[in-house]
Amino acid sequence: MEQELSLSPSAKARTASDFVLSSHLGPLLAPLAQGAWAGGGSTEEVSGLVAPPDMPLLEGSVGVEDLVLLEPLDQESLIKNLQLRYENKEIYTYIGNVVISVNPYQQLPIYGPEFIAKYQDYTFYELKPHVFALANVAYQSLRDRDRDQCILITGESGAGKTEASKLVMSYVAAVCGKGDQVNSVKEQLLQSNPVLEAFGNAKTIRNNNSSRFGKYMDIEFDFKGSPLGGVITNYLLEKSRVVKQLKGERNFHIFYQLLAGADAQLLKALKLQQDTSAYAYLNQEMPKVDGMDDASNFRAVQSAMIVIGFSDEEIRQVLEVTALVLKLGNVELVDEGQASGIPASGIRDGRGVQEIGEMMGLNSQELERALCSRTMETAKEKVVTALNVIQAQYARDALAKNIYSRLFNWIVNRINESIKVSKVPPRSHSPTCHTKKKVMGVLDIYGFEILEDNSFEQFVINYCNEKLQQVFIEMTLKEEQEEYKKEGIPWTKVDYFDNGIICNLIEHNQRGILAMLDEECLRPGVVSDSTFLAKLNQLFSKHSHYESKVTQNAQHQYDHTMGLSCFRICHYAGKVTYSVTGFIDKNNDLLFRGLSQAMWKAQHPLLRSLFPEGNPKQASLKRPPTAGAQFKNSVAILMKNLYAKNPNYIRCIKPNEHQQRGQFSSELVAVQVRYLGLLENVRVRRAGYAYRQGYGPFLERYRMLSRSTWPRWNGGDREGTEKVLGELNLSSEEVAFGNTKIFIRSPKTLFYLEEQRRLRLQQLATLIQKIYRGWRCRAHYQLMRKSQILISSWFRGSMQKKRYGKMKASALLIQAFVRGWKARKNYRKYFRSGAALTLTNFIYKSITNVCDTKWPAAPYKYFNTANRELQQLFRQWKCKKFRDQLSPRQVEILREKLCASELFKGKKVSYPQSVPVPFRGDYVGLQGNPKLQKLKGAEEGPVLMAETVKKVNRGNGKTSPRILLLTKGHVILADTKKSQAQAVIGLGNVAGVSVTSLKDGLFSLHLSEVSIQAGSGQGHRALEVTGTTSLILGLTFPAISPLSEISSVVLAATQKQLPVTVTETFSVKFKEGTVAVKVIQGPGGGGDSKLSCKKKGSSCLEVTVQ
């Protein structure tokens, strides 16, 4: 049974300052494994305990995670440990608080947001080695303790320095403060990387994305730890790459990105073409790099420049100057003879120079003159000298290198303008307004280089690494010394190689190699690389770290690897042989004054600003400082900056030369281990005491090794630590007690403590298992017993409930029968005598009174639904019984009443009075009038209705009596005196009826295409009236029953519903026109209504109801 050790909150709260050098614990010294009580071992046992080189301190970890604890300590075991971890994808290893990073050449899933959050919550040694752990220590120390930090990233090309710096930047950006302004600053700082990589990185034999310049970035933070801005300093751009690259290498990325990613319009504006083979400065063997998309990278660079704050005009000008460098390489120079016989040079094809002049606003003739001749000025005269082809090519290449180098410096300065901290004046003079800013520096610079042919560039690079090594040793020893002094431990002097003698050999102001190089460059007379070497041989002939062919011959030594034009320096990382060829020219780094003046005359704003010395008003005859002097001053400033900060180191190692994942070359790594001085680093870290930790964490981890401190210790942490170590009988030479920490001299003692702890944990785990198993068995038994008792009680209760239920049901049944028998016995005579009469009356009343809706309420709410259903069923049954008792005539009367209800209920005032009055049909005594009988016989079918009406004359509004007859097919109007039909109207021609809502009998029949038949006796004449017309009729009583009858007959005859309109204003149409009828209520209004018609105008008829 194994499980990870979870640290207590107090352990998590420890700051990184509690872990100096190789303070291990936390997860570094073992997850929780089971152990047993360990008896106190003797001193001999401790001294005899040696851990094998591949023994991990962490069970589950790979190898030794901190090389300070490596045993035995030699180069072979160190490299073997790195290889073991690398093969298991553990690319990070510690040397105290130094991180060693081995380039995996692949993406590993250890950099996501979850890892950032993980390392943010723990201290340095509580998780596996990681670059995030070092970045977190630096950031927390800066934020919480106000200590300026610097992170030094070193290693040779291809070791992963640039990626390590990106990871540090991304971690700091992720854990610092939030907010719009803070996010903007962070984004600008992060976006500076792709821009600088495009202009400062290139593909080399060793690395596809090699930084060809040194970079130091200072990031400034406020008191909360939020970034405010930064400053970037660049060192020694490899500008010789602009004009020449080795086989298998490329020029700077920006040239290929521009050609591949620019659209046709931009290429046309820059006068470029996409084919890289068209440009002499681009290596034709490597136009593309595997895994690198130049087109998309170009778009990313443009976006990054916009984020940083470059304007569109500035981006365009930068690309134009970049294109200028490419086009300079295509300017071909040829020999041209002069009359004096002195060799001269000229330009083969002037088209290239002309394009440069058009794009930059240059005079092409002045540019050609500046490339092919040299002007030297003194205080009194000016001399123009023609250049031969070699000199002209040198001038052309020098111009291209200077333009690109100055452009790169301008880009760095432009980025600094965007990311610099804005200077806000304090609002008051209070001390809080002058808050000191916190600074974190990140140094990404070349590692130590030993090539087959080492020149001036390797010399200054190795000089810079010598200075960094000096800083490392001095800062490390200083840190050790301060730690011992603080803790009251006697400081033991550490023997180490002091490389100050090498630094003085190179940088001494009067007698250093750089001083001699400057002196040789400045002195009059014939100056060459050979004279420089001769001066070095004379000056350093007896120097222990300087060698040359001359000094070897003087000492009778023979070395075939030493050339005549070479010298050798014994650096801290090994001997390096330098060829002096080109030292003078590279140190001078001169650009002919004529070229500077020609560039200054350009109309291009950016190009003109790159050459301020070309301004005649600012012309100076003073010689500019040499490249070596400039670099020496830059290194001095850098060293001063680093000494003022707390250093943090990342040592990057390249595992193989082929950039292949999984390959580990022990020989190559051994060389880098020697270059980086890792073994000396470990020895310095282990000087004195290899391990130290605060008393509290130490006691928390090892208190189980003493019976006095386990399981509880109520005394002080130091007393508890002394108890633990006292019972283990460790030698007094192996441990020392400081003021706040315990110091252990050798890793063997620490391994011994861990072994005893492991055994003790096994015993404790066994004890815990025993107690746990006993508790689990007891708990299981108790649970089973409790369950059995519960089941038994429930079963007995259930059986008793069933028995009681049966007994109760039986008792209730007996009681019901007894009560029923008593009730029947007591009330039998009363029930039989009156039951029949009561039932009969109830049924009779229920059937006869259909409108009675009374119904008893449900005794309980849950009977409501059933009660409503029963009520509805009862009412339907009652209605059916009522309908079954009706005669056909009664059914017909009810249907007529239903029709009247549908037509007039709620619409006509007289409707309620008409409801109880049955419809008679014959209102004129048709059976007693022979003449009307004859009229009846003239038409088909029986007369359904006969009624006396008053016809309103449309001309004068007077009324005349008429008899209205209704048959199954016609409506007949007959004269009351002569009993003759005056109008016969088919029911199909009745279009509608208009009636008022008042208590009157006025109504209007609206007809269409009426055929009116009139005559006497058997003869008659027919009058055909075409069009729509109307008849206005009036009754002496409300017109509800006649109109209901007419509506029913029309529906039966035509299968169409007769439209009945209830209104006081309607229109009637006659042959002559339309008359508007308006009905008003008169002052009377009681009893039978009388109609009074009055014609108003030709088209209006007013009817008054009295």
Side-chain angles (χ1 to χ4, degrees):
M1 184 178 81
E2 293 187 6
Q3 49 185 328
E4 291 293 330
L5 173 63
S6 58
L7 295 177
S8 64
S10 60
K12 288 187 178 181
R14 297 192 301 271
T15 61
S17 60
D18 293 327
F19 299 89
V20 180
L21 303 179
S22 57
S23 316
H24 260 73
L25 256 56
L28 185 61
L29 293 182
L32 179 62
Q34 285 63 39
W37 270 108
S42 63
T43 306
E44 291 74 11
E45 292 174 329
V46 175
S47 61
L49 177 63
V50 178
D54 57 348
M55 173 184 174
L57 282 177
L58 271 171
E59 295 186 10
S61 67
V62 179
V64 179
E65 294 186 342
D66 191 336
L67 297 179
V68 174
L69 302 178
L70 183 66
E71 285 288 342
L73 179 58
D74 53 37
Q75 181 169 300
E76 181 181 356
S77 61
L78 188 150
I79 295 174
K80 187 177 295 185
N81 186 71
L82 291 178
Q83 181 176 4
L84 176 64
R85 292 180 57 77
Y86 178 78
E87 290 172 351
N88 288 272
K89 297 183 179 180
E90 298 287 347
I91 64 172
Y92 297 113
T93 307
Y94 289 148
I95 301 179
N97 56 2
V98 176
V99 175
I100 301 174
S101 172
V102 184
N103 195 340
Y105 293 117
Q106 60 179 311
Q107 291 293 332
L108 297 178
I110 58 174
Y111 303 108
E114 65 278 9
F115 283 89
I116 293 177
K118 191 176 180 182
Y119 280 86
Q120 185 180 2
D121 295 334
Y122 288 85
T123 52
F124 192 74
Y125 292 104
E126 291 184 306
L127 294 174
K128 288 184 178 181
H130 203 291
V131 68
F132 286 168
L134 181 134
N136 184 57
V137 167
Y139 178 72
Q140 287 185 353
S141 181
L142 175 138
R143 183 191 62 190
D144 302 333
R145 303 175 62 197
D146 291 334
R147 294 184 63 185
D148 290 348
Q149 303 290 316
C150 63
I151 298 177
L152 282 68
I153 307 173
T154 56
E156 69 174 61
S157 178
K161 301 186 300 296
T162 302
E163 291 301 318
S165 66
K166 289 181 185 178
L167 290 171
V168 171
M169 295 286 292
S170 63
Y171 179 86
V172 174
V175 302
C176 63
K178 308 296 181 183
D180 294 340
Q181 183 177 0
V182 173
N183 290 338
S184 175
V185 173
K186 290 193 293 187
E187 190 65 20
Q188 288 181 342
L189 291 172
L190 293 177
Q191 290 300 324
S192 65
N193 282 323
V195 177
L196 294 178
E197 283 185 15
F199 287 89
N201 288 24
K203 188 243 184 281
T204 64
I205 299 174
R206 298 181 174 185
N207 186 6
N208 289 343
N209 187 32
S210 175
S211 297
R212 307 316 300 160
F213 69 104
K215 179 180 71 173
Y216 177 75
M217 176 183 285
D218 262 338
I219 309 171
E220 296 189 16
F221 298 82
D222 61 11
F223 70 97
K224 298 179 294 185
S226 300
L228 299 174
V231 178
I232 298 174
T233 305
N234 61 301
Y235 299 95
L236 197 66
L237 177 71
E238 187 190 15
K239 55 186 179 183
S240 61
R241 180 171 295 273
V242 175
V243 299
K244 183 180 180 181
Q245 305 93 43
L246 297 177
K247 184 177 181 180
E249 296 189 352
R250 291 205 317 177
N251 210 323
F252 292 101
H253 291 326
I254 187 62
F255 297 116
Y256 304 93
Q257 293 174 359
L258 175 60
L259 298 180
D263 54 27
Q265 183 179 0
L266 179 58
L267 289 176
K268 183 178 179 181
L270 299 177
K271 303 182 185 302
L272 297 175
Q273 52 183 314
Q274 282 192 334
D275 186 10
T276 57
S277 62
Y279 301 99
Y281 281 165
L282 302 184
N283 194 337
Q284 311 305 322
E285 298 177 356
M286 295 295 298
K288 294 184 179 180
V289 178
D290 294 339
M292 186 176 293
D293 187 350
D294 291 324
S296 63
N297 289 341
F298 179 71
R299 291 188 291 271
V301 169
Q302 287 180 308
S303 302
M305 294 176 79
I306 293 173
V307 171
I308 293 171
F310 284 76
S311 65
D312 294 339
E313 181 65 19
E314 288 175 330
I315 296 175
R316 183 184 63 79
Q317 292 178 11
V318 168
L319 297 180
E320 288 174 348
V321 175
T322 305
L324 167 63
V325 175
L326 282 179
K327 301 187 76 63
L328 273 177
N330 289 351
V331 175
E332 189 175 356
L333 299 161
V334 295
D335 284 320
E336 286 188 0
Q338 289 185 339
S340 61
I342 299 175
S345 60
I347 296 176
R348 181 188 297 275
D349 186 0
R351 185 175 58 183
V353 177
Q354 185 177 359
E355 288 182 354
I356 293 174
E358 292 174 357
M359 187 168 61
M360 295 294 157
L362 278 169
N363 188 323
S364 58
Q365 294 180 353
E366 288 188 7
L367 178 60
E368 182 175 357
R369 190 183 309 113
L371 287 172
C372 299
S373 63
R374 180 181 180 183
T375 301
M376 292 181 289
E377 297 183 16
T378 63
K380 298 180 179 180
E381 61 180 347
K382 179 186 297 185
V383 179
V384 179
T385 306
L387 302 177
N388 59 31
V389 174
I390 296 176
Q391 292 172 333
Q393 289 175 349
Y394 172 83
R396 178 200 62 191
D397 293 345
L399 177 61
K401 291 187 292 184
N402 270 272
I403 290 175
Y404 191 81
S405 175
R406 298 183 187 205
L407 173 64
F408 185 76
N409 291 335
W410 181 90
I411 291 174
V412 172
N413 293 332
R414 179 63 183 83
I415 293 175
N416 286 337
E417 287 182 12
S418 296
I419 65 176
K420 68 180 180 181
V421 179
S422 58
K423 298 188 180 298
V424 181
R427 299 182 181 179
S428 66
H429 298 285
S430 63
T432 56
C433 294
H434 303 277
T435 304
K436 179 182 180 296
K437 296 181 178 65
K438 309 172 184 181
V439 180
M440 176 183 290
V442 180
L443 177 64
D444 175 10
I445 202 164
Y446 340 84
F448 200 89
E449 289 190 358
I450 302 179
L451 306 179
E452 293 182 3
D453 184 14
N454 301 288
S455 186
F456 179 76
E457 292 83 3
Q458 284 69 45
F459 176 73
V460 293
I461 287 172
N462 293 343
Y463 160 61
C464 181
N465 278 271
E466 284 285 356
K467 296 296 291 183
L468 291 175
Q469 178 69 8
Q470 189 179 33
V471 171
F472 173 75
I473 293 175
E474 291 183 3
M475 296 293 285
T476 300
L477 293 178
K478 179 181 178 182
E479 186 179 16
E480 284 278 286
Q481 194 171 7
E482 289 180 352
E483 176 74 12
Y484 288 137
K485 183 178 179 181
K486 176 183 175 182
E487 293 295 327
I489 303 297
W491 166 253
T492 304
K493 184 177 179 180
V494 180
D495 293 329
Y496 66 94
F497 171 67
D498 184 2
N499 66 340
I501 186 173
I502 302 176
C503 295
N504 287 331
L505 172 66
I506 299 173
E507 69 179 4
H508 194 276
N509 291 332
Q510 284 79 32
R511 299 176 58 84
I513 295 177
L514 288 176
M516 294 300 101
L517 182 60
D518 288 346
E519 182 180 324
E520 194 69 12
C521 290
L522 296 176
R523 76 176 177 84
V526 178
V527 177
S528 66
D529 297 324
S530 300
T531 59
F532 166 63
L533 180 60
K535 181 173 288 189
L536 294 183
N537 292 334
Q538 180 183 357
L539 189 61
F540 304 117
S541 59
K542 296 182 180 180
H543 199 287
S544 60
H545 292 273
Y546 176 86
E547 294 180 8
S548 69
K549 199 71 174 177
V550 174
T551 60
Q552 287 180 349
N553 291 337
Q555 298 175 7
H556 305 288
Q557 297 177 354
Y558 176 73
D559 185 358
H560 68 279
T561 61
M562 178 72 74
L564 292 175
S565 60
C566 298
F567 68 92
R568 181 179 295 157
I569 295 178
C570 298
H571 289 282
Y572 77 93
K575 295 182 178 181
V576 183
T577 303
Y578 299 101
S579 172
V580 297
T581 304
F583 261 59
I584 299 294
D585 290 338
K586 292 177 181 179
N587 188 51
N588 277 325
D589 193 24
L590 293 178
L591 182 67
F592 295 154
R593 184 169 299 163
L595 291 173
S596 297
Q597 293 176 349
M599 295 298 103
W600 184 83
K601 292 178 181 178
Q603 301 300 316
H604 194 272
L606 177 56
L607 181 62
R608 182 186 177 94
S609 67
L610 297 180
F611 293 89
E613 74 275 11
N615 187 354
K617 295 181 181 180
Q618 299 179 2
S620 174
L621 301 179
K622 183 179 180 182
R623 188 183 183 93
T626 62
Q630 293 180 31
F631 188 77
K632 176 183 174 183
N633 294 333
S634 299
V635 170
I637 295 173
L638 175 63
M639 296 302 112
K640 181 179 179 181
N641 202 347
L642 296 181
Y643 276 118
K645 295 179 173 63
N646 182 51
N648 303 271
Y649 297 93
I650 300 177
R651 305 292 202 180
C652 298
I653 292 178
K654 181 170 63 174
N656 61 79
E657 290 282 11
H658 310 291
Q659 304 178 33
Q660 296 294 322
R661 67 180 65 178
Q663 293 185 10
F664 190 92
S665 172
S666 300
E667 294 79 9
L668 178 63
V669 173
V671 174
Q672 296 174 77
V673 167
R674 188 172 69 253
Y675 290 173
L676 296 173
L678 298 185
L679 205 57
E680 291 76 10
N681 190 347
V682 177
R683 290 194 177 108
V684 170
R685 290 288 178 178
R686 289 176 59 165
Y689 295 89
Y691 172 83
R692 73 285 317 269
Q693 193 175 39
Y695 288 121
F698 184 88
L699 181 62
E700 180 71 21
R701 184 170 184 81
Y702 296 109
R703 62 192 176 96
M704 74 281 297
L705 300 182
S706 171
R707 296 182 182 274
S708 302
T709 57
W710 182 262
R712 291 184 183 87
W713 172 251
N714 298 323
D717 293 337
R718 175 167 180 164
E719 292 76 9
T721 302
E722 291 175 350
K723 283 282 186 182
V724 172
L725 296 178
E727 293 188 16
L728 291 175
N729 295 327
L730 296 178
S731 171
S732 59
E733 296 178 357
E734 283 294 314
V735 295
F737 297 92
N739 295 329
T740 61
K741 296 179 182 178
I742 176 67
F743 289 76
I744 297 178
R745 185 174 298 278
S746 66
K748 293 184 292 183
T749 304
L750 187 63
F751 289 138
Y752 173 75
L753 289 174
E754 282 299 308
E755 178 66 15
Q756 298 302 313
R757 182 176 182 274
R758 184 183 67 81
L759 297 174
R760 173 60 177 151
L761 288 176
Q762 289 180 356
Q763 185 189 45
L764 292 177
T766 303
L767 179 63
I768 292 171
Q769 290 175 353
K770 179 183 71 173
I771 295 175
Y772 171 73
R773 291 191 186 103
W775 169 82
R776 189 173 61 178
C777 290
R778 286 192 299 274
H780 183 64
Y781 167 75
Q782 294 290 344
L783 181 62
M784 292 179 62
R785 183 173 181 273
K786 183 178 179 180
S787 300
Q788 189 272 334
I789 294 173
L790 183 63
I791 293 171
S792 300
S793 63
W794 275 94
F795 177 76
R796 288 192 294 269
S798 176
M799 294 301 294
Q800 292 297 326
K801 286 179 182 178
K802 289 181 179 179
R803 182 182 177 190
Y804 170 76
K806 290 181 179 180
M807 293 174 64
K808 182 179 178 181
S810 301
L812 291 176
L813 182 62
I814 294 172
Q815 291 175 0
F817 273 101
V818 171
R819 282 195 290 268
W821 172 76
K822 286 183 178 181
R824 287 191 296 274
K825 180 179 179 181
N826 294 332
Y827 298 101
R828 183 177 292 115
K829 57 181 179 180
Y830 304 106
F831 175 78
R832 288 181 177 178
S833 60
L837 180 60
T838 302
L839 290 173
T840 301
N841 292 335
F842 173 77
I843 293 172
Y844 176 76
K845 290 179 181 179
S846 299
I847 294 176
T848 55
N849 190 3
V850 181
C851 296
D852 184 12
T853 59
K854 293 181 181 179
W855 186 260
Y860 302 104
K861 288 184 179 180
Y862 48 83
F863 287 158
N864 285 341
T865 303
N867 189 50
R868 285 194 298 270
E869 293 293 334
L870 291 174
Q871 183 181 6
Q872 185 177 1
L873 289 174
F874 177 74
R875 182 167 178 80
Q876 291 175 355
W877 173 79
K878 217 167 38 165
C879 292
K880 183 177 183 305
K881 287 295 183 180
F882 178 78
R883 288 197 302 271
D884 292 344
Q885 295 174 359
L886 298 178
S887 64
R889 176 57 185 164
Q890 289 176 325
V891 172
E892 187 67 25
I893 291 173
L894 287 177
R895 286 178 179 171
E896 291 175 351
K897 290 295 181 180
L898 178 61
C899 180
S901 174
E902 293 175 350
L903 292 176
F904 300 109
K905 184 177 181 180
K907 299 178 182 179
K908 194 164 179 65
V909 177
S910 57
Y911 171 75
Q913 289 81 13
S914 68
V915 173
V917 180
F919 293 164
R920 291 186 297 173
D922 183 7
Y923 293 92
V924 299
L926 187 64
Q927 299 298 331
N929 192 335
K931 292 182 179 181
L932 292 178
Q933 288 288 343
K934 291 174 62 179
L935 184 60
K936 169 188 174 184
E939 300 300 331
E940 80 284 357
V943 176
L944 301 177
M945 185 187 72
E947 179 62 276
T948 301
V949 298
K950 292 181 180 181
K951 178 178 177 296
V952 179
N953 193 310
R954 64 178 177 271
N956 52 18
K958 294 182 179 181
T959 59
S960 56
R962 293 287 189 271
I963 296 175
L964 177 66
L965 301 176
L966 177 64
T967 67
K968 292 183 179 181
H970 295 83
V971 174
I972 304 171
L973 284 178
D975 189 357
T976 56
K977 295 180 180 180
K978 298 179 182 180
S979 299
Q980 293 182 352
Q982 291 189 341
V984 180
I985 305 167
L987 293 180
N989 294 325
V990 180
V993 177
S994 294
V995 63
T996 71
S997 63
L998 305 176
K999 289 185 178 181
D1000 62 295
L1002 181 69
F1003 67 94
S1004 173
L1005 291 177
H1006 301 285
L1007 313 175
S1008 60
E1009 297 184 0
V1010 180
S1011 176
I1012 302 175
Q1013 299 178 1
S1016 60
Q1018 300 297 324
H1020 65 274
R1021 59 186 179 88
L1023 175 62
E1024 186 72 25
V1025 182
T1026 306
T1028 303
T1029 185
S1030 302
L1031 293 175
I1032 304 175
L1033 305 175
L1035 296 172
T1036 58
F1037 57 90
I1040 292 176
S1041 57
L1043 291 179
S1044 299
E1045 189 69 23
I1046 292 173
S1047 176
S1048 300
V1049 174
V1050 170
L1051 179 61
T1054 64
Q1055 303 301 317
K1056 294 181 180 179
Q1057 187 70 40
L1058 178 65
V1060 178
T1061 304
V1062 180
T1063 178
E1064 276 70 52
T1065 304
F1066 54 89
S1067 299
V1068 292
K1069 292 183 179 180
F1070 301 103
K1071 186 175 182 182
E1072 293 80 3
T1074 303
V1075 176
V1077 179
K1078 182 177 182 182
V1079 182
I1080 61 175
Q1081 179 69 50
D1088 295 337
S1089 60
K1090 295 182 180 180
L1091 302 177
S1092 173
C1093 301
K1094 185 177 180 181
K1095 188 71 179 292
K1096 290 189 176 184
S1098 61
S1099 61
C1100 185
L1101 180 65
E1102 185 179 273
V1103 180
T1104 303
V1105 180
Q1106 300 292 337

